[in-house]
């Protein structure tokens, strides 16, 4: 039993070393821009992938987000490991007001039906 506890502590400490601290708070339904590092030949550049977060999975070091966008009339989804060194930055462009944890139903929708209402902060309403 004691060896198991030590192993868990070791795993936790290794994972903590790889976790990023500068990430914004991300929720399902948010419009995000993810900067992905791409290597082409000997050069490295950052390519932006902008879309809606339709799912979040796992926790801690293994946290992933699924981002969906429409490109030339075709739905494109990418799964990003949030704490990966390949992820340069994550920027929240718009907060979405949703009532579900997973937005897979957006895959079946086309055009204006895929829109998500913007969340308004309660602080701004009281002013």
């Amino acid at each position: 039993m004691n060896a198991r506890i030590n192993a868990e502590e070791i795993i936790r400490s290794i994972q903590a070393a790889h976790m990023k601290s500068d990430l914004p708070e991300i929720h399902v339904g948010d419009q995000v821009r993810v900067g992905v590092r791409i290597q082409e030949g000997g050069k490295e550049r950052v390519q932006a992938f902008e879309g809606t977060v339709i799912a979040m999975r796992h926790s801690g070091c293994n946290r992933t987000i699924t981002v969906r966008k429409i490109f030339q009339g075709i739905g494109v989804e990418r799964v990003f490991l949030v704490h990966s060194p390949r992820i340069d930055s994550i920027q929240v462009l718009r907060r979405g007001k949703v009532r579900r944890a997973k937005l897979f139903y957006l895959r079946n929708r086309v055009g204006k039906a895929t829109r998500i209402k913007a969340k308004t902060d309660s602080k701004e309403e009281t002013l």
Side-chain angles (χ1 to χ4, degrees), residues 5-83:
I5 294 172
N6 289 338
E8 288 177 3
E9 288 177 14
I10 293 168
I11 291 170
R12 244 184 257 122
S13 66
I14 291 170
Q15 286 180 348
H18 293 288
M19 290 188 55
K20 294 180 182 178
S21 59
D22 60 340
L23 293 174
E25 193 172 323
I26 303 167
H27 299 284
V28 174
D30 291 354
Q31 190 83 20
V32 295
R33 180 180 295 135
V34 181
V36 185
R37 287 194 186 109
I38 294 178
Q39 256 186 330
E40 293 176 334
K43 295 181 181 177
E44 189 176 274
R45 67 181 179 91
V46 176
Q47 185 179 39
F49 188 90
E50 190 174 317
T52 306
V53 177
I54 64 167
M56 296 179 76
R57 294 187 67 197
H58 309 300
S59 65
C61 191
N62 298 321
R63 171 157 290 235
T64 63
I65 58 173
T66 304
V67 181
R68 178 179 176 83
K69 75 173 181 178
I70 305 298
F71 182 72
Q72 296 182 351
I74 298 172
V76 179
E77 291 182 11
R78 282 187 72 178
V79 179
F80 296 104
L81 189 61
V82 174
H83 296 284

